[in-house]
Amino acid sequence: MAGVAPESTLDRTFRALADPTRRAILAQLRAGPASVTALAAPFSISFAAVSKHLRVLEDAGLVSRENRGRERRCHLQAQPLRAAAAFAADYRAFWNARLDALETFLADDAQSGPTDD
């Protein structure tokens, strides 16, 4: 029996990015490292729920944590986003080529004028 393919880094990245709370946490971390308490402050969800979101982000390699005394500081690790951006860029090129072909078709059609059907 064929097994399920192991989850790739790209899979974990997109799974992490699929949630708006996790994207908001990443947006906060773009400004610099922050404590878990500071990251949780803007959300109306429990501290435990924010910790779960942080674990998903850590599993994806998007966040790292360090202990500073009693405080846990979170850091953005943007490297996994590079693979996600490359994945999206491939599809951007695909859609740009399709739109260019549509533009050419419409321009040719407009030059040929209306048909008498």
Side-chain angles (χ1 to χ4, degrees):
M1 179 176 148
V4 176
E7 190 175 48
S8 72
T9 300
L10 191 59
D11 294 337
R12 287 189 296 272
T13 300
F14 279 117
R15 185 167 60 93
L17 294 175
D19 184 273
T21 300
R22 292 193 286 266
R23 290 193 304 271
I25 290 171
L26 291 177
Q28 288 182 67
L29 289 173
R30 282 191 324 205
S35 68
V36 175
T37 303
L39 290 172
F43 302 107
S44 60
I45 58 176
S46 71
F47 189 82
V50 171
S51 287
K52 276 185 163 181
H53 285 298
L54 284 169
R55 269 195 300 275
V56 172
L57 291 167
E58 283 182 302
D59 289 346
L62 293 165
V63 168
S64 63
R65 290 195 228 195
E66 69 170 321
N67 293 326
R68 283 192 180 176
R70 296 177 63 167
E71 184 180 73
R72 298 194 80 187
R73 303 278 296 172
C74 297
H75 300 261
L76 175 65
Q77 303 296 326
Q79 184 63 29
L81 294 174
R82 183 172 296 192
F87 177 84
D90 287 345
Y91 286 94
R92 183 178 332 124
F94 168 81
W95 283 112
N96 283 341
R98 294 287 181 147
L99 291 172
D100 287 346
L102 177 62
E103 182 179 33
T104 300
F105 172 79
L106 292 174
D108 291 347
D109 190 52
Q111 284 182 350
S112 66
T115 58
D116 295 330
D117 287 338

